[in-house]
């Protein structure tokens, strides 16, 4: 996957995303290599339900947060990773949250 072409399969269709709801739900994200510089997202837990991430469509890095637009087995979402400092110890830790629920519409390309 990634930027390399898969042999024998068609490329994934382009998608149109429409925002359905703006939310700020905290989640627990699971990654494949926790100690890597940029680990691959595998899935996340939200309200005691596991959402398997099938594809990370886009990643946007800003000064204070990193945003990931993902397709899961239960829909499309925007995830936000924010580094926050604890007030007493000043230790920084990552906080993950779902910041938007999206509708994903595949676009058909005409030859």
């Amino acid at each position: 996957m990634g930027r390399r072409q898969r042999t024998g399969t068609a490329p994934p269709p382009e998608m149109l995303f429409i925002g359905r709801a703006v939310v700020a739900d905290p989640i627990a994200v699971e990654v494949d290599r926790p100690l890597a510089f940029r680990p691959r997202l595998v899935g996340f837990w939200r309200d005691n339900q596991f959402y398997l991430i099938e594809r990370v469509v886009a990643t946007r890095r800003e000064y204070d947060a990193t945003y990931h637009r993902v397709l899961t087995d239960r829909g499309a979402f925007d995830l936000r990773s924010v580094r926050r400092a604890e007030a007493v110890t000043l230790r920084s830790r990552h906080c993950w949250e779902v910041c938007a629920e999206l509708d994903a519409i595949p676009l058909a390309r005409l030859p």
Side-chain angles (χ1 to χ4, degrees), residues 7-45:
T7 57
T9 61
E14 293 186 20
M15 306 290 282
L16 173 68
F17 293 98
I18 300 173
R20 185 175 358 133
V22 176
V23 294
D25 296 337
I27 58 172
V29 174
E30 294 193 10
V31 295
D32 63 345
R33 300 164 311 195
L35 298 177
F37 180 65
R38 288 196 178 133
R40 189 173 66 90
L41 304 177
V42 176
F44 61 92
W45 291 91

Side-chain angles (χ1 to χ4, degrees), residues 32-90:
D32 63 345
R33 300 164 311 195
L35 298 177
F37 180 65
R38 288 196 178 133
R40 189 173 66 90
L41 304 177
V42 176
F44 61 92
W45 291 91
R46 180 181 181 202
D47 297 331
N48 294 328
Q49 294 181 347
F50 185 73
Y51 293 77
L52 180 65
I53 294 177
E54 296 174 353
R55 188 170 133 203
V56 177
V57 179
T59 300
R60 186 178 82 234
R61 290 176 178 81
E62 294 184 2
Y63 175 72
D64 60 343
T66 303
Y67 296 88
H68 300 276
R69 181 161 287 174
V70 296
L71 289 174
T72 68
D73 56 346
R74 298 177 188 213
F77 300 93
D78 276 343
L79 307 180
R80 176 174 40 217
S81 170
V82 180
R83 187 176 298 244
R84 294 198 175 121
E86 295 179 12
V88 177
T89 62
L90 296 178

